[in-house]
Amino acid sequence: MRKSWLLISLINFFIAALMGLLLRAAFVRDLYWMEYKNMLHGHSHLALLGWLYLGLFVLIHGRFLDKEKASKAIYTRLFWLTQFSVVGMMLSFPLQGYAGFSIFFSSLHIVLSYVFVYRVWKDHRKESIQITLLLRTALLFLLISTCGVWAVAVIMANGGGGGVLYQVAIQFYLHFQFNGWLLFGVLALIINDFKPKFSPFGFQSFYFLMCLSQVLTFGLILFWAYRWNWTFGVNFIGVGLQLLALGALLSLRKDFRFNLTRLPAAHSFLLLAFIVGVIRVVAQVLLIFPDIADLAVSLRTTIIGFIHLNMLGLFSAYLLYSFFKNQALVTYNKQFKWVVIPFFIGFIGSELILFFQGFSTWRSWHVLSYYHESLLAFSGFIPLGIAVYIVLFLKYYSYRPAEL
């Protein structure tokens, strides 16, 4: 994998974390120079498209393409053009929100992602049917998710911005990003990294259950938007199928081999991703209860908490593990705790505060004392952990041309 590409995606992550810190600070002190909503758009686009998308781009390029195909100039051009669009969004969204420049750069990013899908679909190694199926499914979900973005443009052009259909279109995009593109992309990496032994029927069952459940759980969004009872039932079925898929995956735990003596600190991120993955499924099971479902989709604190649970605890954690997965340095083992400790303090602390405040609001209790100050304090640890990670990455990551 190319060190410069990995570094760029990490820097995007760091800047997105600093933007998130500014958003927390806006509730503690008046930042008169900052338009909160515009900065929120910049933060979310940079985190999702500049960090998670590009991070997965680099890992797919480095793990699933042969040397000859990975060395094609099209991938270099794609990466830097995509980063150009990311920088454009990072600057334009905080300055002007959704307007000419930001719409141009976000549209450019989507078009470039289509080219990426086409090239990877053609060029990836086809040694494993399982990995090919998961990777191509991730790419298909990436395409499907963008339909929500184009729908938003049509809705806004017809004066429907801010309405229910507008919100459904946004949630469509996010749902199939988190539950499609990112989820199946990470699953392909997991199968590639640990090579669990599925029987043909076992994998087919797992794959079918996962695909169908991700589609059906969109019913919760439709229930929230239109209160159609049948969509709540559809979500109920989707959650049940996801439980069965998780059970099938957990039954293979004996086939996963972790060398905990070599990279103990790095495996903390792997463990975090696994725990959050289980929590994610359990949380969706709880959403079959109408009161809890209403809490989850109507309170801002719980929505933000669940988004960050996915972005930081699952996808970011696995990417941070994967970037250093093959490094075997004794000094690195000792120093990596200075990445893990602040990152975990920031992530776990802020998640606990967000969900407890959501529960308190649901129960009509008072707002937590120093709620915003506590969130700001815990959130400050996250960019600190990322900064230490970048320092260690620059110091210890060995570039090997054979990996490209």
Side-chain angles (χ1 to χ4, degrees):
M1 291 181 290
R2 298 185 183 179
K3 184 176 181 179
S4 60
W5 293 8
L6 293 171
L7 179 61
I8 289 294
S9 62
L10 286 169
I11 292 173
N12 289 341
F13 189 22
F14 177 68
I15 296 173
L18 290 180
M19 285 180 161
L21 196 61
L22 278 176
L23 293 170
R24 300 281 192 229
F27 289 94
V28 176
R29 176 167 293 186
D30 182 23
L31 302 180
Y32 61 89
W33 52 270
M34 184 183 81
E35 182 65 38
Y36 180 88
K37 189 175 181 180
N38 292 350
M39 182 61 72
L40 178 61
H41 288 315
H43 164 71
S44 59
H45 281 78
L46 184 58
L48 184 59
L49 304 178
W51 159 235
L52 292 180
Y53 175 88
L54 274 184
L56 205 50
F57 178 115
V58 177
L59 289 172
I60 289 172
H61 175 269
R63 300 272 174 83
F64 300 137
L65 274 67
D66 292 323
K67 178 181 177 181
E68 181 181 354
K69 292 182 178 178
S71 62
K72 291 180 179 178
I74 181 63
Y75 289 105
T76 300
R77 296 191 190 103
L78 263 180
F79 179 86
W80 291 111
L81 282 172
T82 302
Q83 177 60 17
F84 170 72
S85 71
V86 166
V87 173
M89 288 184 282
M90 179 180 68
L91 297 175
S92 59
F93 272 113
L95 292 175
Q96 63 174 194
Y98 273 102
F101 285 109
S102 58
I103 292 173
F104 167 77
F105 287 118
S106 55
S107 300
L108 175 62
H109 192 287
I110 293 175
V111 172
L112 292 170
S113 73
Y114 292 165
V115 180
F116 174 72
V117 167
Y118 173 74
R119 293 308 319 177
V120 171
W121 191 286
K122 288 188 61 178
D123 293 341
H124 74 278
R125 286 193 304 271
K126 300 174 181 65
E127 297 175 343
S128 167
I129 295 176
Q130 298 169 352
I131 293 175
T132 293
L133 194 56
L134 289 170
L135 179 60
R136 287 187 167 182
T137 302
L139 297 174
L140 282 175
F141 274 124
L142 174 57
L143 295 179
I144 291 170
S145 70
T146 61
C147 294
V149 179
W150 301 127
V152 166
V154 174
I155 293 167
M156 292 183 67
N158 288 277
V164 173
L165 187 59
Y166 170 86
Q167 296 297 331
V168 169
I170 292 176
Q171 292 304 318
F172 181 93
Y173 171 72
L174 293 175
H175 179 84
F176 289 107
Q177 281 277 311
F178 290 149
N179 300 291
W181 153 238
L182 293 171
L183 179 61
F184 281 85
V186 167
L187 284 173
L189 289 171
I190 291 173
I191 299 300
N192 179 73
D193 291 343
F194 301 107
K195 298 176 175 57
K197 297 176 182 177
F198 283 101
S199 67
F201 176 76
F203 178 78
Q204 291 171 8
S205 300
F206 168 75
Y207 173 77
F208 175 77
L209 290 169
M210 283 297 294
C211 286
L212 189 56
S213 66
Q214 305 316 312
V215 174
L216 294 181
T217 50
F218 184 70
L220 183 64
I221 302 300
L222 296 177
F223 177 77
W224 162 79
Y226 300 108
R227 298 296 170 174
W228 296 330
N229 290 330
W230 66 269
T231 59
F232 195 82
V234 168
N235 176 67
F236 181 89
I237 296 171
V239 169
L241 296 179
Q242 195 163 147
L243 272 177
L244 293 174
L246 178 63
L249 188 62
L250 292 178
S251 68
L252 298 169
R253 63 188 182 279
K254 62 181 179 296
D255 294 319
F256 290 85
R257 298 287 182 256
F258 304 146
N259 190 342
L260 295 176
T261 61
R262 175 167 290 185
L263 294 174
H267 278 87
S268 299
F269 280 111
L270 180 61
L271 181 61
L272 176 63
F274 173 77
I275 292 173
V276 170
V278 175
I279 291 174
R280 187 175 182 269
V281 176
V282 171
Q284 288 184 306
V285 172
L286 294 176
L287 296 181
I288 65 175
F289 300 101
D291 289 344
I292 298 178
D294 189 61
L295 162 69
V297 298
S298 60
L299 291 179
R300 184 174 180 274
T301 52
T302 55
I303 294 172
I304 293 174
F306 192 72
I307 289 175
H308 285 177
L309 185 74
N310 282 274
M311 294 187 73
L312 292 173
L314 178 56
F315 302 123
S316 293
Y318 198 83
L319 263 60
L320 291 172
Y321 160 75
S322 292
F323 281 11
F324 258 129
K325 182 180 78 72
N326 294 322
Q327 305 304 303
L329 301 168
V330 175
T331 306
Y332 162 69
N333 288 341
K334 294 178 180 178
Q335 296 184 8
F336 202 81
K337 65 181 180 181
W338 299 114
V339 176
V340 171
I341 291 173
F343 188 91
F344 276 50
I345 289 174
F347 169 69
I348 296 173
S350 57
E351 287 295 292
L352 288 175
I353 292 173
L354 284 168
F355 281 111
F356 189 76
Q357 180 56 52
F359 182 78
S360 298
T361 303
W362 180 51
R363 301 298 298 174
S364 299
W365 297 346
H366 295 296
V367 176
L368 295 174
S369 299
Y370 301 104
Y371 165 65
H372 293 296
E373 290 82 358
S374 300
L375 268 183
L376 176 62
F378 278 111
S379 298
F381 284 97
I382 295 176
L384 176 61
I386 300 169
V388 178
Y389 188 102
I390 292 174
V391 171
L392 293 178
F393 179 85
L394 288 170
K395 188 174 182 180
Y396 294 130
Y397 188 90
S398 58
Y399 171 69
R400 292 190 290 275
E403 289 185 349
L404 280 175

